[in-house]
């Protein structure tokens, strides 16, 4: 009997030892060194058994049982984070587990160009499948949501800071917008707020002016010059007469601005109203915000496009009319 017990012990010991070696080899060796990355999703509430089964089904690991045992040995079965991951069988199971524990989820890149308006940003966000554009626009006009973000406006136009963002799958529309507005708040420093106050403008005024500068600028180097024209006109109580503001106030604009549009009375038509329009007409970048705060020191009151992304600047209406004749009315 003693001999039988001893033999059984030896069998179990050696079997367990080799089993341990199998697991140790498994966790260190990738299932396939030539495998490509695959999207793998852990849904909220999924347990380790289901996760391991799905990993094996997708051929990311070779043995669900070993992966389950190893995870339990690490006391990590309840620490796997839900989300969408990019995983590959070319990574060892040990590395894969580390990714799942740290929540290194797949991120979706979203680049918001300078000068886009809310509707354009919403359409771009929708293309990433992160947020429906209608929901995005509604939130940007939701008074209670705007207040919760600390923005003094009836719309978030102008405050969706243009930049490149990275969001994980299932990020809410609220979180996307909050991130963009939060970035704006970082960029618009206390120093800039003080500068706006010195100029006699509110932050909202500066954002509005910067949004016009953004839309009027073809050559980045001209931002301070364009800003100087608008500052000078405001200082002389002259109308800004900016085409982009007119366009913003036209519903379903077809891309062709006409004389009748310039005569339409809207809160954005700066050919008809004095001062700034009721709010921003786009989401300006840092350089346009800076230009609105620090305009070039000039006596310019007019500018006209040279049709090469740059402008001709003039001090008098006579000079301006000559520039219009030269650059806008010349024969093609």
């Amino acid at each position: 009997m003693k001999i039988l017990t001893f033999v059984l012990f030896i069998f179990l010991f050696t079997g367990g030892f080799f089993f341990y070696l199998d697991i140790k080899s498994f966790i260190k060796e990738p299932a396939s060194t030539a495998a490509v990355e695959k999207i793998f999703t852990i849904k909220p509430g999924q347990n380790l058994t289901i996760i391991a089964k799905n990993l094996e089904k997708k051929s990311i690991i070779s043995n669900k049982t070993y992966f389950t045992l190893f995870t339990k040995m690490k006391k990590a079965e309840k620490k796997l984070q839900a989300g969408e991951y990019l995983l590959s069988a070319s990574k060892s199971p040990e590395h894969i587990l580390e990714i799942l524990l740290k929540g290194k989820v797949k991120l979706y890149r979203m680049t918001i160009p300078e000068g886009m308006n809310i509707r354009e940003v919403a359409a771009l966000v929708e293309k990433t499948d992160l947020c429906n554009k209608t929901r995005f626009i509604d939130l940007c006009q939701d008074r209670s949501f705007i207040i919760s973000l600390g923005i003094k406006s009836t719309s978030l136009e102008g405050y969706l800071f243009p930049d490149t963002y990275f969001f994980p799958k299932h990020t809410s529309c609220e979180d996307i917008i909050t991130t963009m507005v939060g970035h704006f708040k970082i960029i618009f420093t206390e120093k800039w707020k003080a500068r706006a106050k010195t100029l006699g403008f509110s932050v909202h005024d500066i954002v509005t002016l910067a949004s016009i500068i953004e839309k009027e600028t073809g050559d980045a180097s001209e931002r301070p010059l364009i800003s100087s024209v608008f500052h000078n006109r405001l200082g002389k109580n002259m109308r800004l007469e900016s085409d982009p503001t007119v366009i913003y106030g036209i519903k379903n604009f077809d891309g062709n601005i006409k004389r009748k549009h310039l005569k339409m009375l809207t809160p954005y038509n700066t050919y008809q109203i004095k001062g700034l329009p009721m709010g921003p007409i786009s989401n300006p970048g840092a350089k346009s915000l800076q230009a609105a705060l620090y305009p070039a020191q000039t006596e310019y009151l007019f500018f006209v496009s040279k049709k090469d992304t740059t402008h001709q600047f003039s001090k008098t209406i006579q000079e301006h009319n000559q520039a219009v004749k030269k650059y806008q009315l010349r024969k093609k």
Side-chain angles (χ1 to χ4, degrees):
M1 186 70 180
K2 288 182 178 180
I3 294 174
L4 181 63
T5 302
F6 178 74
V7 170
L8 181 62
F9 171 78
I10 293 298
F11 176 78
L12 292 174
F13 175 78
T14 54
F17 178 71
F18 285 116
F19 182 65
Y20 168 76
L21 290 180
D22 280 347
I23 293 180
K24 189 173 181 181
S25 174
F26 164 78
I27 65 175
K28 296 292 184 181
E29 295 296 327
S32 172
T33 55
V36 296
E37 288 186 320
K38 301 176 182 178
I39 293 177
F40 181 78
T41 303
I42 297 179
K43 296 179 181 179
Q46 279 189 334
N47 60 36
L48 173 59
T49 301
I50 294 173
I51 294 169
K53 180 181 177 181
N54 290 340
L55 284 168
E56 185 183 77
K57 187 177 180 180
K58 280 217 165 193
S59 300
I60 295 171
I61 61 171
S62 59
N63 192 311
K64 63 184 179 183
T65 302
Y66 283 2
F67 186 84
T68 300
L69 289 172
F70 174 62
T71 304
K72 287 183 176 181
M73 286 168 57
K74 299 279 287 185
K75 296 182 180 180
E77 61 265 38
K78 294 182 179 180
K79 297 178 182 179
L80 305 183
Q81 298 188 40
E84 188 179 74
Y85 296 84
L86 271 179
L87 299 178
S88 169
S90 63
K91 293 182 173 67
S92 70
E94 186 175 38
H95 189 186
I96 289 169
L97 179 59
E98 181 185 350
I99 291 171
L100 301 181
L101 290 175
K102 290 184 177 181
K104 294 181 179 179
V105 296
K106 170 180 166 58
L107 297 176
Y108 287 80
R109 180 189 176 107
M110 183 193 307
T111 299
I112 309 299
E114 297 171 342
M116 275 191 166
N117 61 37
I118 282 176
R119 293 186 178 279
E120 292 167 331
V121 173
L124 194 153
V125 171
E126 186 176 67
K127 286 183 179 179
T128 64
D129 293 326
L130 292 177
C131 177
N132 173 271
K133 66 180 179 182
T134 301
R135 172 65 174 160
F136 189 94
I137 292 168
D138 287 345
L139 279 170
C140 287
Q141 298 171 342
D142 184 311
R143 184 62 178 158
S144 60
F145 182 57
I146 294 169
I147 292 172
S148 74
L149 295 176
I151 299 299
K152 296 179 181 179
S153 176
T154 57
S155 165
L156 289 178
E157 189 76 270
Y159 299 93
L160 304 174
F161 193 78
D163 206 340
T164 296
Y165 298 92
F166 295 89
F167 295 106
K169 192 74 170 178
H170 305 306
T171 302
S172 69
C173 295
E174 288 87 347
D175 285 346
I176 291 172
I177 294 170
T178 299
T179 299
M180 293 178 179
V181 174
H183 196 12
F184 166 84
K185 289 182 176 180
I186 292 171
I187 295 298
F188 209 102
T189 62
E190 291 299 320
K191 179 182 177 181
W192 279 11
K193 290 178 182 177
R195 171 64 177 173
K197 188 175 182 180
T198 298
L199 292 173
F201 292 105
S202 66
V203 170
H204 190 67
D205 290 336
I206 292 298
V207 176
T208 300
L209 180 55
S211 74
I212 302 172
I213 294 168
E214 191 74 75
K215 298 300 287 186
E216 290 279 14
T217 303
D219 185 314
S221 66
E222 289 188 346
R223 284 188 178 99
L225 290 172
I226 289 174
S227 178
S228 75
V229 171
F230 291 137
H231 274 279
N232 290 341
R233 292 179 76 93
L234 288 170
K236 292 180 178 293
N237 202 30
M238 296 172 66
R239 293 185 178 88
L240 296 185
E241 298 184 351
S242 169
D243 288 359
T245 66
V246 178
I247 292 168
Y248 188 83
I250 300 172
K251 188 176 182 179
N252 301 320
F253 180 66
D254 64 6
N256 185 22
I257 191 166
K258 301 180 178 69
R259 188 177 296 275
K260 68 176 183 179
H261 294 141
L262 303 181
K263 294 180 179 180
M264 291 172 59
L265 183 59
T266 75
Y268 293 94
N269 188 345
T270 53
Y271 280 85
Q272 298 298 320
I273 62 172
K274 287 187 177 181
L276 294 166
M278 66 177 291
I281 62 169
S282 72
N283 292 282
K287 289 182 179 179
S288 288
L289 289 166
Q290 185 174 33
L293 289 164
Y294 300 94
Q297 298 302 305
T298 76
E299 296 180 3
Y300 295 139
L301 293 172
F302 307 91
F303 61 84
V304 63
S305 172
K306 293 182 181 179
K307 296 186 176 180
D308 64 355
T309 74
T310 66
H311 296 84
Q312 178 66 42
F313 294 86
S314 304
K315 299 177 183 178
T316 67
I317 187 63
Q318 291 79 14
E319 290 177 356
H320 178 61
N321 288 339
Q322 287 297 316
V324 170
K325 184 177 180 180
K326 179 178 180 180
Y327 294 108
Q328 295 292 314
L329 302 179
R330 63 186 176 184
K331 294 181 179 180
K332 296 180 181 179

